[in-house]
Coordinates of all heavy atoms in Angstrom, one line a residue:
L1 N 0.9 -1.2 0.0 CA 0.0 0.0 0.0 C 0.8 1.2 0.0 O 0.6 2.2 -0.8 CB -0.9 0.0 1.2 CG -2.1 -0.8 1.2 CD1 -2.9 -0.9 2.5 CD2 -3.1 -0.6 0.0
L2 N 1.9 1.2 0.8 CA 2.9 2.4 0.8 C 3.5 2.6 -0.5 O 3.6 3.7 -0.9 CB 3.9 2.2 1.9 CG 4.9 3.2 2.1 CD1 4.2 4.5 2.5 CD2 5.9 2.9 3.2
A3 N 3.9 1.4 -1.1 CA 4.6 1.6 -2.5 C 3.6 2.3 -3.5 O 4.0 3.0 -4.4 CB 5.1 0.2 -2.9
V4 N 2.4 1.9 -3.4 CA 1.3 2.4 -4.4 C 1.2 3.9 -4.0 O 1.1 4.7 -4.9 CB 0.0 1.6 -4.3 CG1 -1.1 2.4 -4.9 CG2 0.2 0.3 -4.9
E5 N 1.1 4.3 -2.7 CA 0.9 5.7 -2.4 C 2.1 6.6 -2.8 O 1.9 7.6 -3.3 CB 0.8 5.8 -0.8 CG -0.5 5.5 -0.2 CD -0.5 5.6 1.2 OE1 0.2 6.5 1.8 OE2 -1.2 5.0 1.9
I6 N 3.3 6.0 -2.7 CA 4.5 6.8 -3.1 C 4.5 6.9 -4.6 O 5.0 7.9 -5.2 CB 5.8 6.0 -2.7 CG1 5.9 6.1 -1.1 CG2 7.0 6.6 -3.3 CD1 7.0 5.2 -0.6
N7 N 3.9 5.9 -5.4 CA 3.7 6.1 -6.8 C 5.1 6.1 -7.5 O 5.3 7.0 -8.4 CB 2.8 7.2 -7.2 CG 2.3 7.0 -8.6 OD1 2.4 5.9 -9.3 ND2 1.8 8.0 -9.1
D8 N 6.1 5.3 -7.1 CA 7.4 5.4 -7.8 C 7.4 4.3 -8.9 O 6.4 3.8 -9.3 CB 8.5 5.2 -6.8 CG 8.5 3.9 -6.1 OD1 7.7 3.0 -6.4 OD2 9.3 3.6 -5.2
E9 N 8.7 4.0 -9.3 CA 8.9 3.0 -10.4 C 8.4 1.5 -10.0 O 8.2 0.8 -10.9 CB 10.3 3.0 -10.8 CG 11.4 2.4 -9.8 CD 11.8 3.4 -8.8 OE1 11.5 4.5 -8.9 OE2 12.5 3.0 -7.9
T10 N 8.1 1.3 -8.8 CA 7.6 0.0 -8.3 C 6.1 -0.1 -8.3 O 5.5 -1.1 -8.0 CB 8.1 -0.4 -7.0 OG1 7.6 0.5 -6.0 CG2 9.7 -0.4 -6.9
Y11 N 5.4 1.1 -8.7 CA 4.0 1.1 -8.6 C 3.3 0.0 -9.4 O 2.4 -0.7 -8.8 CB 3.5 2.4 -9.2 CG 2.0 2.6 -9.2 CD1 1.3 3.0 -8.0 CD2 1.2 2.1 -10.3 CE1 0.0 3.1 -7.9 CE2 -0.2 2.2 -10.2 CZ -0.8 2.7 -9.1 OH -2.1 2.8 -9.0
G12 N 3.6 -0.3 -10.6 CA 3.0 -1.3 -11.4 C 3.1 -2.7 -10.6 O 2.0 -3.4 -10.6
E13 N 4.2 -3.1 -10.2 CA 4.4 -4.3 -9.5 C 3.5 -4.4 -8.2 O 2.9 -5.4 -7.9 CB 5.7 -4.7 -9.3 CG 6.0 -6.1 -8.7 CD 7.4 -6.4 -8.5 OE1 8.4 -5.6 -8.8 OE2 7.6 -7.5 -8.0
A14 N 3.6 -3.3 -7.5 CA 2.9 -3.2 -6.2 C 1.4 -3.4 -6.4 O 0.7 -4.0 -5.6 CB 3.4 -2.0 -5.4
A15 N 1.0 -2.5 -7.3 CA -0.5 -2.6 -7.6 C -1.0 -4.0 -8.1 O -2.0 -4.5 -7.7 CB -0.9 -1.5 -8.7
Y16 N -0.2 -4.6 -8.8 CA -0.5 -6.0 -9.3 C -0.6 -6.9 -8.1 O -1.5 -7.7 -7.9 CB 0.5 -6.5 -10.2 CG 0.3 -7.9 -10.7 CD1 -0.6 -8.3 -11.7 CD2 1.0 -9.0 -10.1 CE1 -0.9 -9.6 -12.0 CE2 0.7 -10.4 -10.4 CZ -0.2 -10.6 -11.4 OH -0.4 -11.9 -11.8
K17 N 0.4 -6.9 -7.2 CA 0.4 -7.7 -6.0 C -0.7 -7.4 -5.0 O -1.3 -8.4 -4.5 CB 1.8 -7.6 -5.2 CG 2.9 -8.3 -6.0 CD 4.2 -8.2 -5.3 CE 5.2 -8.9 -6.2 NZ 6.6 -8.9 -5.5
L18 N -1.2 -6.1 -5.0 CA -2.3 -5.8 -4.2 C -3.6 -6.4 -4.8 O -4.5 -6.8 -4.1 CB -2.5 -4.3 -4.1 CG -1.5 -3.6 -3.2 CD1 -1.6 -2.1 -3.2 CD2 -1.8 -4.0 -1.7
G19 N -3.6 -6.5 -6.1 CA -4.7 -7.0 -6.8 C -4.8 -8.6 -6.4 O -6.0 -9.0 -6.2
T20 N -3.7 -9.2 -6.3 CA -3.7 -10.7 -5.9 C -4.2 -10.8 -4.5 O -4.9 -11.8 -4.2 CB -2.4 -11.4 -6.1 OG1 -1.4 -10.7 -5.2 CG2 -1.9 -11.3 -7.6
Y21 N -3.8 -9.9 -3.7 CA -4.3 -10.0 -2.2 C -5.8 -9.9 -2.2 O -6.4 -10.6 -1.4 CB -3.6 -8.9 -1.4 CG -2.3 -9.2 -0.8 CD1 -1.2 -9.3 -1.6 CD2 -2.2 -9.4 0.6 CE1 0.1 -9.6 -1.0 CE2 -1.0 -9.7 1.1 CZ 0.1 -9.8 0.4 OH 1.4 -10.1 0.9
H22 N -6.4 -9.0 -3.0 CA -7.8 -8.8 -2.9 C -8.6 -9.9 -3.6 O -9.6 -10.4 -3.2 CB -8.2 -7.4 -3.5 CG -7.9 -6.3 -2.6 ND1 -8.7 -6.0 -1.4 CD2 -6.8 -5.5 -2.4 CE1 -8.2 -5.1 -0.8 NE2 -7.1 -4.7 -1.4
E23 N -7.9 -10.4 -4.7 CA -8.6 -11.5 -5.5 C -8.6 -12.8 -4.7 O -9.7 -13.4 -4.8 CB -7.8 -11.7 -6.8 CG -8.4 -12.9 -7.7 CD -7.7 -13.1 -9.0 OE1 -6.7 -12.4 -9.2 OE2 -8.2 -13.8 -9.7
Y24 N -7.6 -13.1 -4.0 CA -7.5 -14.4 -3.3 C -7.8 -14.3 -1.7 O -7.9 -15.3 -1.1 CB -6.2 -15.1 -3.6 CG -6.0 -15.4 -5.0 CD1 -5.1 -14.6 -5.7 CD2 -6.7 -16.3 -5.6 CE1 -4.9 -14.8 -7.1 CE2 -6.5 -16.6 -7.0 CZ -5.6 -15.8 -7.8 OH -5.5 -16.1 -9.0
G25 N -7.9 -13.0 -1.2 CA -8.1 -12.9 0.1 C -7.0 -13.1 1.0 O -7.1 -13.6 2.2
H26 N -5.8 -12.8 0.6 CA -4.6 -13.0 1.3 C -4.6 -12.0 2.6 O -5.3 -11.0 2.5 CB -3.3 -12.8 0.6 CG -3.1 -13.8 -0.6 ND1 -3.3 -15.1 -0.4 CD2 -2.7 -13.7 -1.8 CE1 -3.1 -15.8 -1.5 NE2 -2.7 -14.9 -2.4

């Protein structure tokens, strides 16, 4: 969440991983 808030070069990967957390309920 912090990486997405910062919106740096890792944003795409962080957002993807957050998607998996929500999709699978991690």
Side-chain angles (χ1 to χ4, degrees):
L1 285 173
L2 182 60
V4 167
E5 280 183 32
I6 293 170
N7 196 15
D8 66 2
E9 69 276 354
T10 65
Y11 178 87
E13 183 178 2
Y16 176 82
K17 288 180 179 179
L18 284 171
T20 63
Y21 271 71
H22 286 280
E23 181 177 6
Y24 299 107
H26 295 314

